[in-house]
Amino acid sequence: MRIIPTVHLRAMEPEDLDMLYSIENDTSQWHLGMTNAPYSRFVLHDYISQTTGDIYTDKQVRLMIENETGETVGMVDLTTFCPKNLRAEVGIVIADNYRCKGYAQATLSALHRYAHTTLHLHQLYAFIPCDNLSCIHLFQKSSYRQTAILSDWLFDGSAYHDAILMQCIL
């Protein structure tokens, strides 16, 4: 039985620029999101300095994930925020050397508490490639349920792939 680590979610700081740069410019992850061009350090530095951290102002919030020793192990996003329906899309990235150690599950648990008690959201959802079985399993363990299969939803640069819509009512 794996022990779930303790994580702390915090706002981005200027010191997070290198991790943000690395994640945002990882072309192997671009098909999972909306990115299709690299970001410069200058643009990301401006993003960090200009984001308010207020989901109502920015329509999104990005939080850095720290482990119990204060190391930054990844980041988690709430995007596509809909204030009328109190829902947001979840995106999570764990740095390669921290994967498969329980940080993603601990992060989703912490994110759910934050989204429910602080942001008063009703629902979180995620679009997951149908072939990403570890991610599907992670979200299932975190109380998400599959509600739709979206045909040809994600394009990886050469082919379209189906995605699963998974939802969690908080």
Side-chain angles (χ1 to χ4, degrees):
M1 182 170 134
R2 183 189 321 175
I3 296 173
I4 303 298
T6 300
V7 297
H8 171 69
L9 304 180
R10 62 165 177 80
M12 287 184 300
E13 298 288 349
E15 296 78 19
D16 296 316
L17 180 61
D18 287 341
M19 177 172 271
L20 187 62
Y21 182 84
S22 173
I23 289 170
E24 292 292 353
N25 290 306
D26 181 355
T27 59
S28 70
Q29 302 294 320
W30 284 3
H31 70 284
L32 301 173
M34 302 300 288
T35 302
N36 62 3
Y39 286 99
S40 69
R41 288 183 185 281
F42 178 79
V43 166
L44 293 173
H45 181 271
D46 274 0
Y47 169 73
I48 291 172
S49 67
Q50 293 177 13
T51 189
T52 68
D54 178 7
I55 197 167
Y56 284 90
T57 300
D58 298 337
K59 301 295 185 244
Q60 67 177 8
V61 65
R62 172 167 283 168
L63 301 167
M64 304 309 289
I65 307 161
E66 285 187 349
N67 66 12
E68 54 279 346
T69 62
E71 298 168 300
T72 304
V73 301
M75 62 186 187
V76 64
D77 295 323
L78 290 175
T79 62
T80 322
F81 171 61
C82 178
K84 177 183 178 199
N85 298 301
L86 295 173
R87 67 175 173 240
E89 182 178 350
V90 175
I92 183 171
V93 177
I94 303 296
D96 288 341
N97 51 330
Y98 294 101
R99 290 188 181 159
C100 300
K101 296 180 180 178
Y103 288 114
Q105 186 176 355
T107 297
L108 285 178
S109 179
L111 183 68
H112 289 178
R113 285 189 303 276
Y114 172 72
H116 180 71
T117 61
T118 303
L119 301 177
H120 307 291
L121 297 184
H122 172 67
Q123 180 177 165
L124 298 178
Y125 63 93
F127 299 103
I128 303 170
C130 286
D131 62 353
N132 191 339
L133 300 179
S134 61
C135 189
I136 292 167
H137 184 65
L138 164 69
F139 277 80
Q140 286 172 334
K141 286 191 305 188
S142 298
S143 301
Y144 287 73
R145 63 182 182 88
Q146 177 182 326
T147 56
I149 295 179
L150 305 165
S151 299
D152 289 350
W153 196 256
L154 302 169
F155 185 64
D156 68 6
S158 60
Y160 286 93
H161 302 274
D162 295 349
I164 295 174
L165 170 61
M166 299 191 78
Q167 295 174 273
C168 178
I169 306 301
L170 300 174

